């Protein structure tokens, strides 16, 4: 006699086999087969849809007011070398500060720029010191750069005068020469070379000791700036501190410029969290019998926030390894063998499904789906990494698929409300796009094999709701939670904008396209549609 557990297993096998036979007997779709893997048992899989995917260079892109900006130099192998400079306005934390006694330069104790790094605390040691690891640093963290911070001489307008100030002013990635020609004096002129000529993104904590008290601060770009300059701007020019509108024209901000010394090193920074703090001595008073009486001196500060308009400035330099990328020719008719996705002023891919918007293939598939009462369980775009090309290159963690015609997210993106409080850029887990890696979690040297994006709702709308089969865009992404788009300096026929999240990301990847050589046919871009049909 069968026990309960054995009976359940036998019943499951009988029912499963019956369902499989039923599906097989009714299946008649070209390019489809019965799926027998663990994730899609009993579903019908159709992966024979026509797809055309082709490359598109973005060239110069809009880069003002990004949430995160790169600074440094990054040699990205197959994608060449990028030099990332940066310019930003600054604002008074407290408008219209007052001085009881106008300080002299001698009474300015320090002017310090501080921009936090993305850092993860590793451990606190027995002596109280802390160790950190820096996140979002590309290249070799030990490589030194020549860092120059200048007074910015070019005014960053809020609105564009060329259209009657009706729209926000746009600035672009290729405008480094504009800011370089208008720069003022160098401000990080310390005698310590690690603050200028031999700068490095250091993971070391900052330690200060005053009157026997030790203060420890997390790693950051912490630099001494020119006291005389800030005396002139903030004290001698105090009439311009009445409000930030006046101040931002009086002091137009900072221009960060880097030069390569010994290899590449680039960090992603949230400059808006940065500050400039001027510490100075001022007269101290006390009240005696209702009267103000001198009581020596006290330290006071004026704090400037690195806020207001900003621009990421990206200069691209071809290298020997980047020849294939630099010379890629796009074929929007038959598709490209390889797809080159690169952030910044880089490249994206365009994807046409089912032969385009109004193809006969799409109409036939719609008729099959509607008449057959298909239940679409899942649909994915599956991209395979060209591993031989990418083996010595740093890969992006994630890619993003979007509506390239209207520069909008897909329905699947909007429907996915999964979040990640600690790291928002890892949200939307169901929508996907995160790299599938070799090996197991914890293994060293893991490499990207595949990226999969779920577009189930999009395919349902195209097949059953007669939605437009719009052209899709594919781009690398720095932060999946950012879905807005930025303009190209020169709009193209295939697209006019690029995702903000792609502009923020310095990395790139090479994927197999829709016209691969025969030896890589199994790695071509695929649209997988899993569905069931009623008996």
């Amino acid at each position: 006699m069968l026990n309960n557990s054995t009976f359940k297993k036998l019943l499951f096998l009988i029912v499963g086999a019956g369902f499989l036979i039923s599906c097989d007997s009714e299946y008649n779709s070209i390019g489809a087969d019965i799926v027998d893997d663990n994730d899609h048992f009993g579903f019908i899989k159709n992966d024979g849809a026509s797809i055309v995917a082709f490359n598109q260079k973005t060239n110069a892109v809009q880069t003002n007011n990004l949430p995160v900006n790169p600074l440094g130099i990054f040699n990205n192998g197959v994608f060449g070398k990028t030099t990332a400079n940066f310019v930003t306005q600054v604002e008074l934390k407290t408008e219209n500060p007052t001085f009881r006694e106008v300080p002299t330069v001698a009474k300015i104790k320090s002017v310090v720029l501080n921009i936090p790094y993305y850092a993860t605390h590793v451990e606190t040691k027995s002596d109280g010191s802390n160790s950190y690891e820096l996140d979002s640093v590309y290249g070799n963290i030990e490589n030194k750069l020549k860092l120059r911070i200048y007074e910015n001489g070019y005014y960053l307008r809020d609105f564009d005068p060329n259209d009657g100030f009706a729209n926000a002013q746009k600035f672009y990635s290729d405008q480094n020469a504009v800011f370089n020609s208008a720069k003022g004096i160098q401000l990080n002129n310390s005698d310590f070379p690690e603050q200028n000529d031999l700068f490095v993104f250091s993971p070391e904590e900052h330690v200060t000791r005053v009157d026997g008290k030790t203060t420890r601060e997390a790693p950051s770009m912490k630099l001494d700036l020119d006291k005389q300059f800030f005396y002139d701007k903030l004290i001698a020019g105090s009439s311009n501190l009445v409000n930030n509108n006046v101040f931002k024209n009086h002091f137009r901000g900072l221009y960060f410029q880097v030069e390569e010394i010994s290899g590449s090193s680039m960090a992603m920074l949230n400059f808006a969290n940065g500050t400039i703090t001027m510490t100075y001595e001022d007269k101290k008073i006390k009240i005696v019998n209702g009267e103000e009486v001198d009581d020596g001196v006290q330290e006071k500060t004026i704090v400037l926030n690195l806020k207001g308009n900003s621009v990421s400035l990206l200069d691209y330099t071809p290298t020997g390894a980047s020849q294939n990328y630099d010379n890629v020719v796009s074929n929007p008719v038959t598709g490209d063998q390889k797809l080159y996705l690169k952030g910044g002023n880089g490249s994206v891919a365009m994807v046409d499904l089912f032969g385009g918007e109004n193809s006969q293939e799409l109409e036939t598939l719609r008729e099959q789906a509607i008449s057959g009462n298909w239940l679409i369980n899942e649909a994915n775009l599956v991209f395979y990494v060209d591993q031989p090309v990418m083996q010595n290159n740093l890969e992006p963690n994630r890619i993003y698929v979007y509506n390239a015609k209207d520069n909008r997210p897909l329905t699947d993106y909007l429907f996915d409300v999964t979040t990640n409080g600690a790291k928002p850029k890892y949200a939307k887990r169901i929508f996907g796009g995160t790299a599938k890696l070799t090996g197991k979690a914890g293994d060293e040297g893991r490499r990207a094999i595949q990226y999969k994006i779920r577009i189930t709702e999009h395919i349902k709308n195209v097949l059953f709701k007669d939605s437009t089969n719009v052209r899709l865009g594919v781009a690398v992404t720095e932060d999946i939670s950012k879905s807005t788009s930025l303009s190209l300096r020169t709009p193209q026929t295939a697209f006019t904008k690029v995702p903000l999240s792609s502009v923020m990301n310095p990395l790139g990847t090479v994927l197999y396209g829709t016209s691969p050589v025969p030896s890589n046919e199994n790695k071509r871009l695929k649209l997988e549609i899993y569905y069931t049909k009623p008996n």
Side-chain angles (χ1 to χ4, degrees), residues 168-187:
Q169 177 70 55
K170 295 176 182 177
F171 294 95
Y172 295 91
S173 58
D174 63 348
Q175 291 186 274
N176 185 64
V178 172
F179 293 96
N180 186 53
S181 64
K183 66 179 182 287
I185 69 167
Q186 182 182 337
L187 303 178

Side-chain angles (χ1 to χ4, degrees), residues 58 61-63 66-67 342-350 399-404 407-409 413 472-480 482-488 495-505:
T58 66
V61 291
Q62 181 187 352
T63 54
L66 302 179
K342 178 183 177 294
N345 51 347
S347 54
V348 297
M350 298 287 117
I399 66 172
Y400 172 59
V401 173
Y402 59 100
N403 175 342
N407 301 300
R408 295 169 53 188
Y413 176 97
L472 304 180
V474 189
V476 298
T477 178
E478 170 68 19
D479 185 347
I480 197 69
K482 306 289 191 300
S483 61
T484 55
S485 298
L486 298 175
S487 298
L488 305 182
F495 70 129
T496 60
K497 293 187 175 183
V498 67
L500 177 151
S501 57
S502 176
V503 175
M504 291 163 54
N505 194 325

Side-chain angles (χ1 to χ4, degrees), residues 11 22 46 55 120 169 204 213 216-217 224 266 306 308 337 368 390 394 414 432 442 452 471 478 516:
L11 180 62
S22 173
N46 185 316
N55 294 287
T120 301
Q169 177 70 55
E204 300 298 321
K213 180 181 179 181
R216 302 181 183 277
E217 299 175 88
D224 297 314
M266 177 185 287
L306 272 58
Q337 288 187 357
Q368 288 182 338
M390 289 300 297
L394 194 59
L414 300 174
K452 182 185 288 189
R471 173 170 286 166
E478 170 68 19

Side-chain angles (χ1 to χ4, degrees), residues 20 31 35 53 76 97 111 124 147 163 192 209 224 226 266 275 286 328 349 369 376 436 506 514:
L20 188 62
V35 176
N76 199 11
V111 181
T124 299
L147 174 64
D163 63 2
F192 296 102
R209 294 179 178 86
D224 297 314
D226 188 271
M266 177 185 287
T275 59
K286 62 181 178 180
V328 67
I376 305 295
K436 179 181 178 181
T514 51

Side-chain angles (χ1 to χ4, degrees), residues 63-79:
T63 54
N64 51 307
N65 303 330
L66 302 179
V68 178
N69 294 270
L71 181 70
I73 297 170
F74 182 43
N75 191 338
N76 199 11
V78 67
F79 292 102

